[in-house]
Amino acid sequence: MALSIERCANEVLGVFTGAVPSADCVKFAVSKGLSAGIIGGAAMVKVPQIRRIIAAKSAQGLQFNMFLSEVVAGTVSIAYFAHNDMALASYAEMFFVLFQNLAILALMLILGRKGGQRKSIVSGVPGLIPHAAGYAFAAMIIAIAPGDFLETLYNCTTAVLVLGRAPQIWGNHKAKSTGELSATTQFLMTAGSAARVFTTQQEGGSSSMVFAFALSAGMNALLLLQMFLYRPKKAKGTVMKGGVRKSTRTPKKKQY
């Protein structure tokens, strides 16, 4: 792999001297560039969602099972990729997304679905200790699981993601609203999953890995589409300030 990087780097840099790099090296360079971008973006991908929940002190409209399914799938996927000696660059973003999903689940447990149940989020942290211990134990079992069992678990993650996101998609459709879902987060998740389809193919990932990323990209895109379709509509002559609709029309003066 080190020789490939050196060779392709020389070929790509040769463009400045008029040389034309091979198609394989172009794909290789694009894949590595996308991987770096995905990893960098993943460090902040869920931050807009976390900030939105904290600002509203509510997780209204968010399905707990969707984020739980992402935690389960992420934990299993990290263990599976590591067990199969995949390049760290092909799945490093999963660590960032996993930790941020755990933070979202923690906020949902503290605030509840309707929010406003606690004046301080910090006061609810001690109640998370049993949940944290349970997750740590489950993650340890997955990490030491034999290869065959781990592969079976990984093949099930696709179904887990579908079962986790389907209720969110259906709930959005019924309510004609996406609640506190963050459009920025959904856009980044959609773009990242789509890019991972290409990079996983380039890194020699299995067909099940490619399919899982493709399906994830499709469902993320559907959620993003719902956010566009069900976005709040502003009434004429009003603006939104701090979530409150206020009129911009000048009141008529009374005639005396």
Side-chain angles (χ1 to χ4, degrees):
M1 182 63 70
L3 292 176
S4 296
I5 293 175
E6 182 180 358
R7 177 173 64 85
C8 289
N10 290 332
E11 285 193 25
V12 172
L13 291 175
V15 172
F16 297 102
T17 61
V20 179
S22 65
D24 288 340
C25 276
V26 170
K27 291 180 180 179
F28 183 84
V30 170
S31 176
K32 292 301 181 183
L34 284 174
S35 291
I38 291 170
I39 294 170
M44 301 291 287
V45 68
K46 296 277 187 173
V47 171
Q49 182 66 76
I50 294 171
R51 292 182 61 185
R52 187 179 177 98
I53 294 173
I54 293 175
K57 290 187 178 179
S58 169
Q60 186 174 6
L62 305 186
Q63 291 287 333
F64 185 87
N65 287 340
M66 182 178 78
F67 294 97
L68 180 61
S69 69
E70 290 185 10
V71 167
V72 172
T75 304
V76 172
S77 296
I78 288 172
Y80 178 73
F81 277 47
H83 183 269
N84 284 277
D85 296 323
M86 290 290 292
L88 182 60
S90 67
Y91 66 97
E93 79 278 2
M94 291 184 180
F95 289 98
F96 295 110
V97 176
L98 175 62
F99 292 141
Q100 291 169 76
N101 274 326
L102 287 170
I104 291 172
L105 286 180
L107 287 170
M108 294 180 77
L109 287 170
I110 292 172
L111 295 172
R113 292 187 179 181
K114 295 183 179 179
Q117 296 178 7
R118 292 181 184 273
K119 292 182 179 180
S120 172
I121 292 176
V122 177
S123 65
V125 172
L128 298 175
I129 294 177
H131 299 283
Y135 171 74
F137 178 75
M140 182 182 67
I141 296 299
I142 292 173
I144 62 176
D148 292 342
F149 181 66
L150 194 57
E151 183 173 0
T152 301
L153 285 180
Y154 181 77
N155 290 333
C156 291
T157 57
T158 301
V160 170
L161 286 173
V162 171
L163 292 175
R165 291 177 183 173
Q168 180 73 63
I169 293 171
W170 178 246
N172 294 343
H173 173 70
K174 286 180 64 179
K176 296 295 186 288
S177 169
T178 54
E180 296 300 331
L181 275 177
S182 167
T184 303
T185 291
Q186 276 309 127
F187 173 77
L188 292 174
M189 290 291 291
T190 302
S193 298
R196 267 296 174 224
V197 174
F198 174 76
T199 61
T200 302
Q201 289 177 321
Q202 292 301 307
E203 294 289 346
S206 65
S207 58
S208 60
M209 293 178 185
V210 175
F211 177 72
F213 281 121
L215 182 62
S216 179
M219 298 195 80
N220 279 326
L222 183 54
L223 284 167
L224 188 62
L225 176 62
Q226 286 186 318
M227 299 194 76
F228 174 77
L229 295 175
Y230 304 144
R231 66 191 185 282
K233 292 182 173 61
K234 295 180 181 179
K236 292 183 178 180
T238 62
V239 294
M240 295 296 292
K241 291 185 178 181
V244 179
R245 197 177 300 279
K246 295 184 178 181
S247 175
T248 59
R249 294 175 181 173
T250 303
K252 294 180 179 181
K253 294 182 179 180
K254 293 183 178 180
Q255 300 293 329
Y256 295 99

